[in-house]
Amino acid sequence: MAAPRRASDNGTRSEALGERHGARGLTVGRLGVVGAGTMGAGIAQLGCAAGIPTVLHDPLPEALERGAADARRGLERWAEKGRVGEDAAGLLETADALDGLAGCELVIEAAPERVELKRELFAQLSRICGPDAVLATNTSSIPVTSLASAAEAPENVVGMHFFNPPPLMRLLEVIRADQTGEAALAVAREVGEAMGKEIVLASDGPGFLVNRCGRPFSAAALRSLQERLATHEQIDRVYRLGGGFRMGPFELMDLVGIDTGFEVAKSFTELSFGEPRWRPNQIQARMVAAGRLGRKSGRGYYDYDLAAEASHRPDDPEPPAVGGGDGMAVAILGAGPVANGLRERAREAGYELREGAPAELVVDAGVRPAEHAPGGAPLLALCADRTLAARGEPGAVGFHALPPLTECRLVELTRLPTTPSFAVEAAERFFATLGFLTEWVGDAPGLILGRSVCQLVNEAAFAIGEGVGEPGDVDTGLTLGLNHPRGPVAWSRAIGLDHVVAVLDGLWETYREERYRVAPLLRRAQTLELDLDDTRLR
Ligand SMILES: NC(=O)c1ccc[n+]([C@@H]2O[C@H](COP(=O)([O-])OP(=O)(O)OC[C@H]3O[C@@H](n4cnc5c(N)ncnc54)[C@H](O)[C@@H]3O)[C@@H](O)[C@H]2O)c1
């Protein structure tokens, strides 16, 4: 077998495809794709682009015709751009019967997401292609292990989870079922690389690696909405401007389909026998019951004008310019990335920084409350290890900003019914002079975004600790597969494990819910002051 090469070793993705076009030396000389829908057509396009003669099958003649036309059109566009040879589309064949896949060394199944249908296909494909063929599934939620047991040679069954749309998304998640052998994994990897994909390896389980680690993105947002900490528009804005996410969770849920997201959440709960972190939220059930399914139904969390292609929201505002401190004396207390980042900005904005001495404003930016905060001035307190209310400072304003502050454009603020208006104004003014937009939200450890991102880190730590995937693959998976601005391991470094664990413990203390328990690996890493990707942790 040819030694697998990583597409990234070849430089750009287009070079990888071009170089591979017509490539000999691949283990797979003929590729089969089952199901010519959204995913199957895209996968067939990738197969031809990699230079592999590819047979596309769909039992519905019109679906087969449409899928093949889509794949050919995609290849022609790539040929115009010089990314594949003119003859790439000629590598595509169609088969109206499954028998047409005889002789394929690898078959990638992208049929509808129904377990019995897929098991039947795997049994039939074993007979048609023989036990030596590698059978891959593109399922997003069915355990690959349960499909492998339907095949004649379960060790030759593997998951190849492409992301939508397959020709554009750079990630491929290869899934090892309990029965999968090394040879099948190597074939999946080799073909994925020939298709120009960045590959992450996951073991079987709910959501595999990428969708599992991405769950807190929406789940935490739904909880914040349920608790009326903020509106869905505010939550989306906070994620975009505070965390650099391209889309907020409610925009994304509308795009994917609220019914689809609800089904995924139910399947996670079923497969995990009720893991509390993965339970669906009642809001999803009510939205589905009301027929508010997202963009496709014209109404979800937002309203859409299906006739117009216009975006549903105006562009985000630019943060104010840094400046206006005017020599005012500010005490910024605490250690860690938030405190350090604020000090740097405050200096830049023209404040005079004081340590402990009388100041006109006190900012307690430590992960835990400072023991001796100077009194007599408005207090702004980081809400990390507890709520603002639990801090016992009735006049304070709470805030949370997500490091690295160099990339954060929005700071969340919270207040108590007892917070005086001069403290509210002082908080708004202070963060504006530091160049941040602000958003007032309800009181919770980590406020909206910290609560979510710390749970992203926690979920990654659970997954790494349970051997679902490697730390580097988690970050690659979430950045390339889900378009996150950085992966959870990178977030954990930017925020600091003390801060992450403080928020999670604060959530546990506030809610006493099992979903907020800290992953053992994360707790160990924090205690031992190790990085989440330190192999000594495992
Ligand atoms: N759409 C996504 O975003 C996405 C992403 C990752 C994985 N997936 C998974 O990929 C698979 C396909 O999803 P899709 O979005 O392309 O669905 P789709 O509905 O667009 O396409 C499915 C195709 O399968 C065909 N089909 C029906 N019965 C069949 C049979 N017995 N044998 C072969 N083909 C049959 C249908 O005619 C249709 O063309 C599913 O398992 C899904 O979970 C989808």
Side-chain angles (χ1 to χ4, degrees):
M1 184 180 296
R5 286 170 57 184
R6 296 179 73 80
S8 53
D9 295 343
N10 295 338
T12 66
R13 180 172 174 279
S14 54
E15 277 166 359
L17 292 179
E19 184 191 329
R20 286 282 171 182
H21 176 62
R24 302 286 172 253
L26 283 180
T27 322
V28 173
R30 191 173 164 83
L31 170 71
V33 178
V34 174
T38 311
M39 300 304 289
I43 295 166
Q45 177 180 332
L46 287 165
C48 296
I52 310 171
T54 300
V55 192
L56 180 62
H57 160 71
D58 199 294
L60 281 183
E62 58 278 17
L64 183 58
E65 208 173 299
R66 196 176 337 115
D70 286 349
R72 286 199 184 99
R73 206 171 319 114
L75 288 164
E76 280 154 17
R77 266 200 306 269
W78 277 355
E80 281 162 22
K81 292 180 182 164
R83 294 173 67 167
V84 298
E86 293 293 332
D87 53 346
L91 294 171
L92 186 69
E93 277 175 49
T94 56
D96 51 13
L98 205 59
D99 287 350
L101 301 186
C104 290
E105 286 112 341
L106 170 67
V107 177
I108 304 175
E109 169 276 312
E113 191 74 344
R114 295 204 299 273
V115 66
E116 282 317 317
L117 181 147
K118 286 188 194 276
R119 279 180 58 85
E120 177 58 29
L121 280 171
F122 275 77
Q124 285 186 40
L125 286 167
S126 292
R127 282 195 298 276
I128 294 167
C129 303
D132 291 341
V134 173
L135 304 180
T137 175
N138 183 47
T139 179
S140 32
S141 64
I142 298 171
V144 181
T145 300
S146 73
L147 302 179
S149 61
E152 214 167 289
E155 67 277 16
N156 283 339
V157 175
V158 62
M160 286 178 82
H161 184 218
F162 290 84
F163 291 74
N164 190 12
L168 296 184
M169 295 297 283
R170 284 170 54 204
L171 190 73
L172 170 66
E173 189 175 24
V174 171
I175 298 127
R176 181 202 293 268
D178 288 6
Q179 307 96 322
T180 306
E182 291 302 324
L185 279 179
V187 168
R189 188 180 268 284
E190 184 196 42
V191 170
E193 282 167 355
M195 290 173 170
K197 299 301 174 199
E198 191 78 35
I199 291 171
V200 296
L201 182 64
S203 52
D204 207 3
F208 314 125
L209 186 63
V210 178
N211 286 338
R212 170 187 169 153
C213 288
R215 279 212 58 69
F217 180 80
S218 308
L222 281 162
R223 272 302 289 263
S224 295
L225 183 67
Q226 186 185 359
E227 291 169 15
R228 304 182 67 187
L229 297 179
T231 64
H232 65 273
E233 289 101 335
Q234 282 184 297
I235 296 173
D236 280 350
R237 197 156 45 238
V238 163
Y239 271 65
R240 289 194 306 268
L241 290 164
F245 291 95
R246 239 180 269 172
M247 239 188 217
F250 294 98
E251 296 170 283
L252 185 67
M253 287 184 259
D254 271 2
L255 182 67
V256 169
I258 296 170
D259 51 339
T260 307
F262 185 40
E263 287 309 314
V264 169
K266 284 196 285 187
S267 118
F268 266 72
T269 300
E270 195 184 317
L271 291 171
S272 65
F273 310 110
E275 167 54 54
R277 300 196 305 282
W278 297 338
R279 275 191 208 132
N281 189 291
Q282 306 160 35
I283 295 173
Q284 293 169 291
R286 284 210 303 277
M287 294 292 281
V288 173
R292 291 172 61 169
L293 307 182
R295 279 190 196 213
K296 63 184 170 189
S297 68
R299 192 161 184 219
Y301 295 102
Y302 296 91
D303 286 335
Y304 300 90
D305 179 355
L306 292 179
E309 274 292 291
S311 163
H312 69 278
R313 66 166 159 89
D315 288 343
D316 285 320
E318 280 302 313
V322 180
D326 299 335
M328 183 176 154
V330 180
I332 300 180
L333 315 174
V338 176
N340 293 338
L342 289 182
R343 278 190 201 101
E344 209 167 289
R345 281 282 184 103
R347 255 183 235 112
E348 196 188 329
Y351 286 94
E352 186 200 327
L353 294 187
R354 297 248 176 101
E355 288 291 329
E360 293 169 68
L361 183 71
V362 177
V363 183
D364 187 358
V367 166
R368 284 167 203 81
E371 285 185 10
H372 305 290
L379 172 68
L380 315 186
L382 181 71
C383 287
D385 77 331
R386 66 195 71 188
T387 60
L388 179 62
R391 204 181 155 106
E393 301 269 5
V397 169
F399 75 94
H400 195 273
L402 195 71
L405 294 201
T406 45
E407 287 167 41
C408 164
R409 293 193 287 159
L410 181 145
V411 172
E412 293 170 69
L413 301 175
T414 193
R415 61 185 145 189
L416 301 170
T418 46
T419 306
S421 56
F422 68 82
V424 166
E425 284 154 22
E428 286 177 345
R429 183 174 183 281
F430 176 68
F431 286 111
T433 54
L434 264 56
F436 293 110
L437 297 160
T438 50
E439 193 80 46
W440 287 97
V441 301
D443 187 11
L447 300 183
I448 303 287
L449 187 62
R451 177 180 185 168
S452 167
V453 172
C454 293
Q455 287 182 79
L456 283 167
V457 174
N458 202 32
E459 190 61 59
F462 271 116
I464 295 164
E466 291 166 14
V468 179
E470 291 296 320
D473 280 357
V474 175
D475 277 15
T476 304
L478 269 65
T479 49
L480 296 187
L482 305 183
N483 284 327
H484 286 197
R486 60 174 56 72
V489 179
W491 279 121
S492 77
R493 285 190 200 116
I495 303 168
L497 292 188
D498 264 354
H499 188 150
V500 171
V501 170
V503 168
L504 293 165
D505 281 343
L507 287 164
W508 194 86
E509 203 48 61
T510 306
Y511 296 94
R512 298 290 168 128
E513 280 186 59
E514 213 184 327
R515 68 167 61 215
Y516 297 120
R517 68 195 190 275
V518 173
L521 184 96
L522 177 54
R523 179 82 68 193
R524 221 161 42 241
Q526 185 228 356
T527 311
L528 300 175
E529 296 183 12
L530 295 176
D531 197 270
L532 270 188
D533 76 354
D534 195 314
T535 48
R536 287 171 298 174
L537 281 172
R538 282 167 282 150

